[in-house]
């Protein structure tokens, strides 16, 4: 046996498409999840600035950093094993490119669970959009078949 065996059926090259589509796996993939964490941090900072809790300049910098954020997934994985959750490393990575005066406002007042739960909801929103598109395609095909075979 060679290496590269999948740990779960959805990750399997053999069985994976029985449990989802490539598009759905992308929505729930590690890179997308880390991106959603960054998006949640940006939204938090923006809302906090609107309420006067953090400086507007810091919020703008955090939002800009989140838009261009490319996570180091290996480091996220390594730190998650050490700490038990990934957000500490995410905050460090997100803060790397920020001016010093903005860095301390990443994750201001939030819990790890706040960010992780928000990211899951954003993933579910994207997943539901894929499901809705599939349902619409099925509906359209069923309507086409009904028209084509109404006299059958």
């Amino acid at each position: 046996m060679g290496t590269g065996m999948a740990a779960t059926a959805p990750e399997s090259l053999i069985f994976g498409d029985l449990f989802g589509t490539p598009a759905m796996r992308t929505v729930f993939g590690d890179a997308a999840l880390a991106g959603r964490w960054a998006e949640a941090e940006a939204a938090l900072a923006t809302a906090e600035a609107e309420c006067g809790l953090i400086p507007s300049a810091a919020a703008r910098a955090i939002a800009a950093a989140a838009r261009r954020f490319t996570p180091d997934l290996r480091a996220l994985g390594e730190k998650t094993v050490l700490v038990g959750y990934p957000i500490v490393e995410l905050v460090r990575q997100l803060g790397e490119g920020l001016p010093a005066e903005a860095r301390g406002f990443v994750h201001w007042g939030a819990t790890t669970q706040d960010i992780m739960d928000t990211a899951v909801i954003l993933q579910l929103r994207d997943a539901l959009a894929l499901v809705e598109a599939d349902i619409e395609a099925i509906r359209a095909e069923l309507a086409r078949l009904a028209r084509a075979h109404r006299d059958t």
Side-chain angles (χ1 to χ4, degrees), residues 27-108:
V27 165
F28 289 102
D30 287 343
L33 178 58
R36 294 303 186 205
W37 292 331
E39 185 179 339
E41 293 287 2
L44 173 67
T46 299
E48 288 173 331
E50 288 173 4
C51 294
L53 297 173
I54 70 170
S56 294
R60 285 191 303 275
I62 293 166
R67 281 191 300 276
R68 65 177 182 273
F69 182 64
T70 302
D72 179 342
L73 296 176
R74 185 167 309 284
L76 278 169
E78 290 169 359
K79 297 297 182 183
T80 299
V81 168
L82 291 175
V83 178
Y85 46 86
I87 302 304
V88 170
E89 175 62 12
L90 173 95
V91 169
R92 188 197 68 71
Q93 287 183 26
L94 193 56
E96 277 181 342
L98 292 174
E101 60 274 8
R103 198 170 299 133
F105 291 108
V106 177
H107 201 68
W108 184 265

Side-chain angles (χ1 to χ4, degrees), residues 2-17:
T3 60
M5 191 157 83
T8 65
E11 295 171 314
S12 170
L13 294 175
I14 298 168
F15 298 108
D17 285 340

